[in-house]
């Protein structure tokens, strides 16, 4: 959480600088690897609903306008099944598995957080030697509905914090346990709590949205996936930097890189060299040359520090760290994609 707050602060600082230093935000879609690797490419997959019905009233609360708390209850019997189908659908859409099917055992056979008995796993292996077994051992949505008076009106908020624990049984390896969490929030105002409440979707709709969002994060643990990141292009009043951005806007990226290299190597201004280095890091990242991109990102960080550009230095620091991750991810992705 602290890291997210700091990144938000960096983004805000850079945005404040936009009017005087021309910091141009750029959204990139990058591929991240799965948290687990499989013993064969495009294996068959079975998704097993092994979660007990969650006791939602144990950890869900309604808080009225006076701050009084009450247990909040809602139907939880369909939650494991809905999450199982949502996760299986997302994994199917990834096209990463040869085939996918879902298993819903009788409630008396569910072992939950204890995991699957080894005898059951071995029996499954005998019948399906190449199949990956993904067991959903626990699914737990915690809801909190809050009513707050605020300057003559009322605000109502619904927060659903969900968690899921899963075990992935891969042939030839030890089980891998993954736990994922996610929070969805809805908020509205009205002259009365009832008036505000009707502006929020029905609770059942919100619950399905929360579980669907959780399944998206869960699926990312098991398949390579797209993640959106934000980068920045730095532009200064220096003619070469201005011309480089003109080339960039015209998709003449190589020509832009030549000018950034010139500024980085020849400019007397430390801040200008730092910005050119950061732009070169972006150029080489887009060329999938993460090692060279990392070299320039580290150079940008050092130069920003030297020039006492605090927000820019923070950005370059996190950029370099992300490039280090991408460099390691590239090798893992080659393995996971079978290249």
């Amino acid at each position: 959480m602290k890291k997210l707050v700091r990144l938000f602060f960096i983004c805000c600082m850079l945005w404040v600088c936009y009017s005087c230093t021309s910091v141009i935000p750029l959204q990139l879609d990058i591929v991240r690897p799965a948290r687990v690797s499989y013993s064969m490419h495009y294996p068959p997959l079975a998704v097993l609903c092994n979660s007990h019905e969650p006791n939602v009233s144990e950890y869900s609360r309604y808080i009225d306008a006076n701050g009084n708390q009450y247990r909040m209850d809602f139907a939880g019997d369909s939650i494991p099944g809905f999450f199982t189908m949502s996760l299986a659908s997302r994994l199917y859409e990834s096209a990463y598995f040869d085939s996918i099917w879902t298993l819903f055992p009788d409630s008396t056979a569910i072992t939950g957080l204890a995991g699957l008995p080894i005898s059951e796993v071995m029996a499954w292996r005998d019948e399906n030697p190449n199949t990956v077994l993904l067991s959903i051992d626990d699914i737990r949505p915690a809801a909190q509905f809050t009513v707050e008076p605020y300057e003559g009106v009322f605000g109502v908020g619904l927060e659903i914090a969900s968690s899921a624990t899963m075990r992935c049984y891969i042939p030839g390896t030890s089980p891998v346990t993954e736990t994922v969490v996610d929070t969805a929030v809805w908020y509205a105002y009205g002259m009365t709590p009832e008036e505000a409440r009707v502006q929020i979707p029905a609770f059942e709709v919100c619950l399905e949205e929360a579980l669907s969002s959780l399944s998206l994060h869960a699926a990312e643990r098991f398949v390579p996936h797209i993640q959106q990141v934000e980068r920045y292009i730095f532009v200064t009043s220096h003619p070469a930097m201005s011309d480089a951005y003109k080339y960039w806007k015209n998709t003449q990226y190589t020509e832009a890189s030549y000018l950034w290299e010139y500024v980085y190597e020849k400019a007397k201004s430390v801040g200008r060299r730092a910005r050119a280095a950061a732009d070169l890091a972006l150029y080489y990242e887009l060329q999938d040359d993460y090692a060279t991109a990392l070299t320039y990102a580290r150079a940008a960080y050092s130069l920003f520090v030297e020039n006492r550009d605090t927000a820019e230095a923070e950005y370059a620091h996190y950029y370099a760290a992300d490039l280090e991750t991408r460099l390691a991810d590239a090798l893992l992705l080659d393995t996971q994609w079978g290249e």
Side-chain angles (χ1 to χ4, degrees):
M1 183 65 184
K2 290 182 179 179
K3 181 178 180 181
L4 291 176
V5 171
R6 176 171 288 187
L7 285 173
F8 177 75
F9 171 76
I10 294 169
C11 294
C12 290
M13 289 296 295
L14 289 173
W15 185 254
V16 168
C17 295
Y18 178 83
S19 60
C20 55
T21 62
S22 297
V23 181
I24 314 298
L26 180 67
Q27 301 292 331
L28 294 185
D29 288 334
I30 64 175
V31 181
R32 298 293 195 191
R35 293 277 291 267
V36 300
S37 296
Y38 306 101
S39 54
M40 62 180 291
H41 300 302
Y42 305 103
L45 172 71
V47 182
L48 171 66
C49 183
N50 185 43
S51 173
H52 293 289
E53 177 185 335
N55 183 6
V56 295
S57 65
E58 181 181 349
Y59 37 78
S60 295
R61 297 291 182 268
Y62 171 82
I63 304 175
D64 67 16
N66 297 316
N68 299 315
Q69 295 191 21
Y70 306 90
R71 286 182 180 270
M72 182 176 173
D73 198 9
F74 51 91
D77 56 340
S78 63
I79 289 174
F82 181 90
F83 179 77
T84 298
M85 292 303 299
S86 181
L87 177 57
S89 296
R90 293 191 183 280
L91 293 173
Y92 174 80
E93 291 168 358
S94 73
Y96 193 75
F97 300 96
D98 178 68
S99 60
I100 294 180
W101 66 93
T102 55
L103 304 173
F104 292 89
D106 183 89
S107 59
T108 58
I110 291 177
T111 51
L113 281 172
L116 299 178
I118 188 61
S119 57
E120 183 176 330
V121 175
M122 294 306 294
W124 174 264
R125 285 281 168 266
D126 290 340
E127 297 180 9
N128 307 274
N130 296 319
T131 300
V132 174
L133 181 61
L134 178 56
S135 175
I136 301 170
D137 295 336
D138 185 67
I139 171 68
R140 189 172 304 185
Q144 179 172 295
F145 190 90
T146 306
V147 179
E148 297 177 312
Y150 181 76
E151 296 184 357
V153 299
F154 289 89
V156 298
L158 173 61
E159 177 182 291
I160 302 179
S162 305
S163 66
T165 300
M166 300 150 290
R167 283 184 180 86
C168 191
Y169 298 85
I170 304 169
T173 65
S174 299
V176 177
T177 301
E178 290 287 341
T179 298
V180 61
V181 297
D182 187 45
T183 300
V185 178
W186 298 261
Y187 208 84
Y189 290 96
M191 297 304 296
T192 65
E194 293 74 18
E195 181 180 313
R197 173 65 186 86
V198 298
Q199 299 182 55
I200 294 179
F203 180 82
E204 293 75 15
V205 173
C206 294
L207 180 59
E208 289 188 359
E209 288 182 6
L211 294 174
S212 181
S213 177
L214 182 67
S215 73
L216 174 61
H217 293 291
E220 291 176 350
R221 302 295 180 95
F222 302 103
V223 294
H225 55 278
I226 300 295
Q227 182 183 63
Q228 190 173 82
V229 297
E230 189 165 65
R231 305 291 191 238
Y232 297 97
I233 299 176
F234 293 89
V235 184
T236 74
S237 58
H238 188 276
M241 292 292 285
S242 297
D243 288 344
Y245 184 58
K246 291 177 183 177
Y247 279 128
W248 184 273
K249 289 194 298 183
N250 291 328
T251 69
Q252 296 174 278
Y253 305 125
T254 302
E255 289 79 0
S257 73
Y258 292 154
L259 292 177
W260 287 328
E261 287 178 2
Y262 172 80
V263 174
Y264 173 67
E265 294 173 358
K266 303 296 185 181
K268 295 182 180 179
S269 168
V270 174
R272 191 174 298 139
R273 291 183 62 216
R275 287 163 175 77
D279 291 342
L280 283 169
L282 175 60
Y283 168 75
Y284 281 103
E285 182 184 17
L286 292 176
Q287 303 303 311
D288 295 332
D289 186 350
Y290 307 125
T292 304
L294 178 58
T295 298
Y296 279 113
R298 287 171 173 168
Y301 171 71
S302 297
L303 290 168
F304 280 134
V305 170
E306 181 181 346
N307 204 50
R308 297 182 180 179
D309 294 327
T310 305
E312 291 85 350
E314 287 282 319
Y315 164 71
H317 170 73
Y318 282 107
Y319 189 13
D322 196 35
L323 287 170
E324 289 177 355
T325 300
R326 292 208 69 186
L327 193 58
D329 286 352
L331 299 175
L332 187 54
L333 283 167
D334 287 346
T335 300
Q336 293 182 353
W337 285 118
E339 298 177 0

